[in-house]
């Protein structure tokens, strides 16, 4: 394998999982915010049930959008694994098991 492919693969090993984790972190943060907003509305005396509904709907839309982003990240990961097989000749079956095994083939599995 060329040095250029090795460097590119190493960068992907670092960047793909980092992006996946950040999307998950954003989804967790929005879910926590949703819980806080709904709890605040419920627990604040004198606040009508309709108050804050538009905010809650916007949060829900943001969560749905992030779920879509998460799915796109999974497809991106798979696409990169396919490219690794085609370009570098990796025989990858399941990225997580290869990454956990710590083999050199994890380069494109990122």
């Amino acid at each position: 394998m060329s040095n250029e492919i090795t460097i590119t693969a190493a960068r992907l090993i670092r960047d793909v999982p980092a992006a996946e984790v950040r999307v998950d972190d954003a989804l967790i943060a929005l879910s926590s915010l949703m819980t806080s907003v709904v709890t605040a509305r419920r627990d604040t005396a004198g606040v009508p049930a309709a108050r804050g509904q538009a905010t809650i709907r916007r949060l829900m839309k943001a969560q749905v959008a992030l779920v879509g982003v998460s799915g796109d990240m999974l497809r991106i990961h798979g696409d990169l694994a396919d490219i690794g097989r085609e370009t570098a000749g990796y025989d990858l079956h399941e990225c997580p098991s290869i990454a956990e095994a710590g083999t050199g083939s994890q380069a494109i599995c990122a």
Side-chain angles (χ1 to χ4, degrees):
M1 170 177 12
S2 78
N3 192 36
E4 183 178 318
I5 291 175
T6 302
I7 292 168
T8 300
R11 190 176 16 226
L12 290 170
I13 287 172
R14 179 192 67 220
D15 292 348
V16 172
E20 291 171 338
V21 167
R22 287 183 182 121
V23 170
D24 286 345
D25 288 345
L27 188 55
I28 290 166
L30 276 179
S31 297
S32 295
L33 179 58
M34 175 69 87
T35 300
S36 296
V37 168
V38 173
T39 301
R41 182 179 70 169
R42 181 197 65 195
D43 294 346
T44 304
V47 174
R51 186 74 178 134
Q53 188 64 20
T55 300
I56 292 168
R57 289 186 57 82
R58 284 187 197 99
L59 278 168
M60 185 249 341
K61 286 168 109 176
Q63 285 176 312
V64 168
L66 276 175
V67 169
V69 169
S70 180
D72 287 340
M73 285 301 306
L74 293 172
R75 284 185 285 283
I76 289 165
H77 194 137
D79 291 345
L80 291 172
D82 290 343
I83 292 168
R85 277 189 288 276
E86 294 166 8
T87 305
Y90 292 128
D91 183 21
L92 307 175
H93 300 288
E94 298 221 6
C95 290
S97 63
I98 291 171
E100 289 169 11
T103 68
S105 299
Q106 65 179 295
I108 281 300
C109 250

